Amino acid sequence: MKEYRLNIPLFIAIIGVISAIISTCFFLGTTDMKQEEASKIIMNYSVITIPLAGIWFFFERYGWRTLLFSLLRNPLNIPPNISGRWEGELKRNGEFKISEFVIEIKQTMTKIQVYTYSKAGKSESLVDDIVTDKMKDDFRLCYLWEGTGGKVLGVEAKGGRFKGYTILRLITNGSERKLVGEYFTDRHPKQTKGTIEVKWKTKKLKCEF
């Protein structure tokens, strides 16, 4: 399950074509315009809308990561690029054991998907977003997820599927980048929560622990 958001480039292209068709029909019905001239109007609209959709696709996938757009991040509200593989630790409250933990992030200019992996389980985000403060310089990754996990200390029941919520702050110190924060779950019969700290390692995703 993911957010059901408007497909902006396709919407722009469709609106452009519909507008051209309506305008053409209007002129054909109210003036002496010939069909050849009407066809030219439709083609002129297509020349504009189709490249617009292509340009949007380029910046949605790749262009937003370029140096130029990083300089325009604040006025355009472009999110920081946090895609890639992050490795670190997860510590569950009430337990002394610290677990190795991996976060992998797929990201475009307007969409993000978060996956996590550990020796005991994995998860996938259902709802996710990057938020910031009013100064636009303190970013947090927030996501609702569903996954599986190992047994909880002091509970006989085996680990199964459950949901949780995680909030991680992006910390940049020179070339080093970290995601640090907390999580909680709806596990039964005992709810779990704890802390996470991971460092960015590579762009390449392994899709496994």
Side-chain angles (χ1 to χ4, degrees):
M1 290 175 21
K2 296 298 297 178
E3 303 99 319
Y4 198 71
R5 293 178 176 173
L6 178 67
N7 187 333
I8 297 176
L10 181 60
F11 180 75
I12 292 173
I14 291 174
I15 290 299
V17 172
I18 293 174
S19 175
I21 293 173
I22 292 174
S23 299
T24 302
C25 291
F26 174 79
F27 285 121
L28 284 173
T30 59
T31 66
D32 296 329
M33 179 183 289
K34 298 179 180 180
Q35 288 187 357
E36 292 181 0
E37 295 174 331
S39 298
K40 289 181 179 179
I41 291 177
I42 294 177
M43 287 301 297
N44 287 337
Y45 270 89
S46 299
V47 166
I48 296 174
T49 56
I50 293 176
L52 276 176
I55 291 170
W56 174 271
F57 177 83
F58 169 75
F59 283 108
E60 166 72 3
R61 295 285 181 173
Y62 312 106
W64 70 281
R65 301 178 185 178
T66 62
L67 177 61
L68 172 62
F69 273 75
S70 66
L71 296 174
L72 297 174
R73 189 191 72 192
N74 282 352
L76 293 178
N77 284 347
I78 296 175
N81 180 11
I82 59 173
S83 61
R85 182 177 173 91
W86 302 70
E87 298 178 358
E89 299 175 339
L90 178 148
K91 186 177 187 307
R92 188 182 293 163
N93 291 357
E95 298 183 13
F96 295 105
K97 180 182 177 182
I98 297 177
S99 304
E100 294 179 278
F101 193 68
V102 173
I103 296 177
E104 291 193 340
I105 300 173
K106 295 180 180 179
Q107 185 183 9
T108 67
M109 185 168 65
T110 62
K111 293 180 287 187
I112 191 168
Q113 178 73 54
V114 184
Y115 304 89
T116 71
Y117 304 94
S118 68
K119 291 181 180 179
K122 59 183 180 179
S123 75
E124 178 179 342
S125 62
L126 303 176
V127 181
D128 31 52
D129 208 351
I130 295 175
V131 300
T132 186
D133 59 1
K134 293 180 180 179
M135 302 305 294
K136 299 182 181 180
D137 60 4
D138 185 8
F139 294 95
R140 285 173 169 78
L141 171 64
C142 307
Y143 58 99
L144 172 70
W145 50 269
E146 182 177 38
T148 59
K151 293 182 64 175
V152 179
L153 184 66
V155 178
E156 292 298 327
K158 295 182 179 180
R161 296 198 67 83
F162 54 92
K163 294 181 176 64
Y165 195 81
T166 301
I167 302 176
L168 301 174
R169 182 184 181 189
L170 175 63
I171 300 174
T172 302
N173 185 11
S175 60
E176 183 182 76
R177 292 190 297 160
K178 297 191 296 184
L179 290 172
V180 180
E182 301 174 335
Y183 76 94
F184 61 88
T185 73
D186 66 350
R187 296 187 73 164
H188 295 288
K190 181 180 180 182
Q191 183 190 39
T192 56
K193 55 185 177 179
T195 59
I196 295 171
E197 181 172 335
V198 291
K199 294 181 180 180
W200 188 86
K201 291 297 181 180
T202 177
K203 295 178 181 178
K204 187 176 181 180
L205 306 181
K206 294 184 179 180
C207 301
E208 62 182 1
F209 180 67

